Amino acid sequence: MTGLVQDLVVRPVKGPGYTNSHTAIINDTGGIDGAVGSPTDCVHVDGTSGPCGSGGSSVVFTDEETPSGVVDGANVAFTVATAPSPASSLHLYRNGVLQKVGFDYTLSSMTISFVSAATPQPGDTILASYRH
């Protein structure tokens, strides 16, 4: 077999920190190690781990929040608990259908304003998911 020795030399090998059932990281010698941390931690690009959102980022995700406001067929203004950041991260659903910003609603800070043609009707369900 031609080239087998060279191929075996460059393949990754288990490093001293290799651990089953952990996220694999490449150590500084090119070996495969296991990430160390709590099962609920996030692994950072440098191979370290820590609570999700740590490492200079304070991004928080809010999923399926029900914006405050009366769903009565007349009210078009609803409020989320925190201003989405970036604003484009807001995914607004009415009865499970994703609404389109600028077409179905507008957003100003924490206030969602539906256009008159998309006014939520009694019995409608409104859910918001976003970063902040």
Side-chain angles (χ1 to χ4, degrees), residues 33-128:
D33 284 345
V36 178
S38 169
T40 59
D41 284 350
C42 288
V43 177
H44 304 284
V45 296
D46 64 358
T48 62
S49 66
C52 294
S54 68
S57 174
S58 59
V59 175
V60 177
F61 294 84
T62 296
D63 293 319
E64 298 185 1
E65 174 186 322
T66 301
S68 62
V70 180
V71 181
D72 61 3
N75 180 37
V76 295
F78 295 83
T79 306
V80 289
T82 306
S85 179
S88 62
S89 72
L90 175 64
H91 289 110
L92 185 66
Y93 298 88
R94 178 176 164 210
N95 298 327
V97 177
L98 180 63
Q99 303 296 285
K100 186 174 180 179
V101 67
F103 184 77
D104 298 305
Y105 71 95
T106 59
L107 175 67
S108 177
S109 185
M110 299 184 311
T111 303
I112 297 164
S113 299
F114 282 91
V115 299
S116 60
T119 302
Q121 299 300 304
D124 282 357
T125 301
I126 302 170
L127 295 175

Side-chain angles (χ1 to χ4, degrees), residues 21-43:
S21 301
H22 283 207
T23 299
I25 60 169
I26 307 302
N27 66 25
D28 56 356
T29 64
I32 301 173
D33 284 345
V36 178
S38 169
T40 59
D41 284 350
C42 288
V43 177

